[in-house]
Amino acid sequence: MARKKRKRPPGEKKLLDVFVRAGRPLLLREVLDLLQLPKDQTDWVKEGLDRLMARGDLVFLKGKRYGLTDKMNLVPGGLSVHPDGFGFVTPESGGKDIYIKPADLKESWHGDRVVVRLEGRRGKRREGRVIRILEREIKEMIGLLGHAADTYYVEPEDEHLLFNLIIPPAKLGGAQPGDVVRARVTHYPTAHLNPQGEVVDVLGPMEDAEVQTYIVVGKYGLPDQFPPEVVVEAGQAPAAIPAAEIARREDLRHVPMVTIDGESARDFDDGVCVVKNRGGSYTLYVAIADVSFYVKPGCVLDQEAYNRGTSVYFPQRAVHMLPEGLSTGICSLNPGEDRLAVVVELNYDRRGRLKNYRSTRAVVHNHARLTYTLVQKLLTEKDRQLRQQYRPYLKMLTWMGELCRRLRDQRRARGSLLMSIPAAEVVLDERGWPVDIKRIDHLLAHQLIEEFMIAANEAVAEELGEPSIFRVHDPPDPAKMEAFRAFCKTLGFHLPKEANRDPRVLRDFLEEVRQTNLAPMVQLMLLRSLKQARYSGENRGHYGLAVEWYTHFTSPIRRYPDLMLHRLLTAHLEKGRKFAPPDEGELDEAARYLSERERRAIEAEREMLARMQVRCLAHRVGEEFHGMITSVTPFGFFVSLAEIFADGLVRLVDLPDDYYKYDEARQRLLGRRHRKSFQLGDEVRVRVQHVDIKRRHVNLVLVEEQEAPAEPVPDQKEKRSRRGKRRQSSPSES
């Protein structure tokens, strides 16, 4: 199931002990002498030393000696290169990143595992120099094939790769200049030569919308195609639910479960139903697709799902965790179909306080496939025609709205952060290119599902206890919160320092901010200041939700941690507390790996949205938009557009009416001559001036309002006359 932490072979432990006892770098013959092994038992020593070097525990020095890295001011870690040429190494042993100057990167590349020598500090920042490359991470790249001076080259799409990849003419693979290609690296860069490679796949022209998806998929290493053996195994899953399985489960097909998702959703993890009882209490049913019945631990289907970790959703299509026959077929709670599910039944009093809950493996039936837009029109907009059409579900939807509001009140009372961050909906034309990007607000219809899923996740986490896999959210970093506090001060808000440890203080602050038009910007900056939620084998609580027990249980079709939870819950339900607990170290290792997979998916989805945003605005150069200033920098200010969910930069050089200075304390640009200012929250009107599609930059210019004609400057005689009249009528002199 999880990638187990590899234990050191006994031989490697012996080798490390030799170096520790010696207290100095050693030659190979010295290592052999200190081991005191018979000559016929020394074959493994050289291989063991090579493995320790590959891991970064040892480094090979001049003079053919081996030395312990941690005794020589050497640090192994992963290298991240900034597009401006410098880099950072994240130590494998933990601790703060190490800054690497461009000249000290040597022949290393973004993504490499390297050994760096610490060279001192600049302020609080450690600096180092790359002295050894342990492992090359990037073996392929996606980019645009170019041709100049009889040389073919691939210009990488990944801005962290600073070199073009030279392609010999015999290695073009049929590609033509202007094609987007996938190329394999055959020779890595040296001090004097660019890397070389060969084209292995021609993706198509840059102007093909599908190519944009290929680029992002390739850039982030997303596994786009399922191996044949995985497809075969997925196809062997029974199309109909076996009668024996129905017999051993609770039959809840009579419960009027419905799904509520977006219009474009194709896989349905969760069904919900609310019943209002006599006395005003509520019963909430949350039915989650039972993927664990079809995907068994250790099978090739399970291994592939673990490798992917999560589904990734793009405007054009999705990269699924499971083959579509499962994800949109027999595992999905499709309308009008019977499905296997794990159901959590939660009972609340009339105020929304949880009285009790239970979990069960069941058979359910999806009675209706509803959408967020439809539910919003039924509950909030009271659309008469739709209410007549969906009359059988109106009473239950009304109960859902009531329970949702009560659950939010309960969460608010305990200090849960109720933030409303808008999402983006990309509208595509028939070719797959964006024609509009809509801002989707967090409405009541979205809140229904959010509250019900949170409730189910909390209940399952508490029922399972430990060991398990948890969704944790650590308290914020004090330094980041201090920066956020300073940011809020520039907007006229006061954030008490108690917010660092007490989410209830932060909740009250957000309630105050929510009454202003600056709420979206403040919430976004707060999200950037808080730590990221992640998976963990250790229960550390969830700061943002202000809850002690929390996990992810409600999306096993698209999230592997949820599938793990289903297996743990199933074992708990079938065997009680006597079932063999999973290995805690294995759970924690899986949690770290799956958190990395989640971050990779989020970054890929963000980049695809950014690509869609610039493409959309590229066709609207010259058009004018309303917007709000959301960030101020020494080189200009960023504006979030109102009519389209995108933003752009108004550069300082495009403000020709004055010289502006950057006031960091107040987050504003202030004109030296006219004292005109541009600060956070200001509403402006802008025009799209230029769009750099490759760098994903949008340049905006201000549209000046029509100024009133200036009054004529009076001559000196008229000025004296006016001063005289004013003096005669001055009340202070009468």
Side-chain angles (χ1 to χ4, degrees), residues 23-297:
R24 62 180 177 85
L26 299 171
L27 294 164
L28 175 59
R29 61 176 174 78
E30 292 176 315
V31 175
L32 293 171
D33 290 343
L34 290 170
L35 284 171
Q36 298 181 342
L37 295 172
K39 288 186 178 180
D40 60 346
Q41 296 180 23
T42 60
D43 292 345
W44 61 271
V45 175
K46 183 64 170 65
E47 292 180 3
L49 292 172
D50 289 342
R51 284 196 300 270
L52 289 171
M53 285 196 298
R55 288 190 187 180
D57 295 318
L58 294 179
V59 65
F60 195 57
L61 305 168
K62 290 180 180 179
K64 298 184 178 180
R65 283 182 166 82
Y66 299 87
L68 289 167
T69 54
D70 61 356
K71 301 295 184 183
M72 302 176 64
N73 229 19
L74 303 177
V75 179
L79 174 65
S80 176
V81 177
H82 191 276
D84 290 340
F86 56 86
F88 290 94
V89 169
T90 302
E92 292 178 353
S93 58
K96 293 185 177 180
D97 289 352
I98 302 163
Y99 174 77
I100 313 293
K101 292 184 289 189
D104 293 334
L105 288 170
K106 301 299 183 182
E107 300 169 6
S108 58
W109 236 10
H110 176 73
D112 289 348
R113 277 187 71 236
V114 299
V115 174
V116 298
R117 176 183 289 116
L118 296 177
E119 302 267 313
R121 289 180 178 270
R122 178 172 295 180
K124 295 182 179 180
R125 187 174 66 188
R126 294 192 297 174
E127 294 191 358
R129 176 193 302 268
V130 174
I131 67 162
R132 194 80 78 248
I133 298 169
L134 299 175
E135 183 180 355
R136 296 286 193 177
E137 173 69 21
I138 293 179
K139 298 176 175 60
E140 292 185 347
M141 68 165 62
I142 304 287
L144 188 68
L145 183 67
H147 181 233
D150 297 327
T151 300
Y152 292 93
Y153 60 89
V154 174
E155 185 178 356
E157 272 288 326
D158 190 340
E159 61 272 18
H160 299 94
L161 299 177
L162 306 181
F163 306 96
N164 289 340
L165 185 70
I166 304 302
I167 307 293
K171 303 292 186 179
L172 289 172
Q176 299 294 323
D179 285 341
V180 177
V181 301
R182 183 166 57 89
R184 180 183 299 115
V185 181
T186 56
H187 298 83
Y188 286 91
T190 68
H192 306 290
L193 295 174
N194 271 31
Q196 294 186 26
E198 58 183 356
V199 174
V200 295
D201 195 9
V202 181
L203 303 181
M206 185 67 80
E207 294 308 310
D208 186 335
E210 183 65 14
V211 169
Q212 296 297 311
T213 304
Y214 291 146
I215 289 173
V216 176
V217 165
K219 181 175 176 179
Y220 288 91
L222 302 176
D224 198 19
Q225 301 297 321
F226 286 98
E229 61 271 22
V230 173
V231 176
V232 169
E233 189 168 89
Q236 293 172 349
I241 302 175
E245 189 62 26
I246 294 177
R248 64 192 295 266
R249 291 179 178 240
E250 188 170 351
D251 194 339
L252 296 179
R253 286 177 286 186
H254 63 283
V255 176
M257 299 281 185
V258 298
T259 56
I260 305 176
D261 297 273
E263 275 78 4
S264 60
R266 294 184 59 204
D267 50 30
F268 309 109
D269 289 282
D270 51 271
V272 292
C273 172
V274 170
V275 177
K276 191 171 184 179
N277 308 304
R278 287 184 178 180
S281 64
Y282 299 90
T283 298
L284 166 65
Y285 296 91
V286 178
I288 306 300
D290 191 357
V291 178
S292 64
F293 176 79
Y294 298 97
V295 182
K296 303 301 183 184

Side-chain angles (χ1 to χ4, degrees), residues 483 486-491 632-634 661-670 678-680:
F487 165 79
C488 293
K489 189 175 180 180
T490 65
L491 300 177
V632 181
T633 72
K661 63 179 180 180
Y662 175 54
D663 183 351
E664 183 176 9
R666 298 187 180 183
Q667 286 290 294
R668 66 175 181 172
L669 293 173
L670 182 64
F678 297 99
Q679 62 187 29
L680 290 173

Side-chain angles (χ1 to χ4, degrees), residues 461-708:
E462 190 170 347
E463 181 174 358
L464 277 176
E466 295 180 289
S468 184
I469 186 166
F470 299 94
R471 184 68 170 178
V472 302
H473 187 214
D474 293 323
D477 178 77
K480 287 191 176 182
M481 284 301 286
E482 190 57 42
F484 175 67
R485 187 173 290 106
F487 165 79
C488 293
K489 189 175 180 180
T490 65
L491 300 177
F493 300 115
H494 171 66
L495 176 63
K497 290 190 175 182
E498 291 78 11
N500 290 26
R501 57 182 181 274
D502 189 348
R504 291 173 297 182
V505 176
L506 198 53
R507 170 207 63 193
D508 294 341
F509 170 78
L510 289 174
E511 291 292 338
E512 176 192 347
V513 172
R514 194 170 288 119
Q515 310 305 317
T516 73
N517 65 339
L518 298 175
M521 182 169 55
V522 173
Q523 290 184 143
L524 184 60
M525 292 302 294
L526 174 59
L527 274 182
R528 294 172 180 171
S529 304
L530 296 175
K531 292 185 178 179
Q532 287 184 323
R534 58 186 173 84
Y535 298 107
S536 173
E538 176 189 1
N539 184 28
R540 301 169 60 91
H542 198 292
Y543 173 87
L545 293 174
V547 68
E548 182 180 357
W549 298 90
Y550 197 68
T551 190
H552 270 178
F553 157 76
T554 53
S555 295
I557 289 176
R558 60 185 180 90
R559 294 191 305 227
Y560 195 87
D562 303 54
L563 177 55
M564 293 175 66
L565 254 295
H566 276 242
R567 290 170 178 162
L568 292 172
L569 183 60
T570 295
H572 166 67
L573 292 174
E574 292 183 347
K575 300 178 183 178
R577 289 292 179 184
K578 295 182 180 180
F579 77 93
D583 180 80
E584 292 185 43
E586 185 176 289
L587 285 173
D588 204 48
E589 186 71 14
R592 282 196 292 270
Y593 171 75
L594 294 167
S595 294
E596 292 171 3
R597 283 294 185 258
E598 178 190 43
R599 285 193 291 273
R600 179 181 69 167
I602 291 172
E603 289 170 5
E605 290 171 353
R606 283 177 179 167
E607 175 162 330
M608 181 58 75
L609 176 59
R611 287 173 178 270
M612 295 294 101
Q613 288 169 326
V614 296
R615 287 279 175 175
C616 191
L617 287 175
H619 297 290
R620 306 183 76 164
V621 171
E623 292 189 28
E624 297 180 3
F625 299 91
H626 294 90
M628 177 184 288
I629 297 177
T630 54
S631 177
V632 181
T633 72
F635 52 83
F637 53 85
F638 288 90
V639 177
S640 177
L641 305 181
E643 294 89 346
I644 184 171
F645 195 9
D647 55 17
L649 173 68
V650 175
R651 301 179 301 171
L652 202 61
V653 296
D654 292 327
L655 298 174
D657 63 323
D658 203 345
Y659 292 106
Y660 287 86
K661 63 179 180 180
Y662 175 54
D663 183 351
E664 183 176 9
R666 298 187 180 183
Q667 286 290 294
R668 66 175 181 172
L669 293 173
L670 182 64
R672 298 177 186 270
R673 189 162 59 101
H674 297 308
R675 311 301 292 174
K676 184 178 180 180
S677 70
F678 297 99
Q679 62 187 29
L680 290 173
D682 282 354
E683 294 184 355
V684 293
R685 187 164 179 81
V686 293
R687 181 172 59 250
V688 180
Q689 182 186 44
H690 175 71
V691 177
D692 185 332
I693 291 178
K694 177 169 178 55
R695 300 179 66 191
R696 298 190 289 282
H697 289 175
V698 177
N699 288 344
L700 308 172
V701 292
L702 284 176
V703 177
E704 298 291 343
E705 296 181 6
Q706 188 67 39
E707 296 182 358

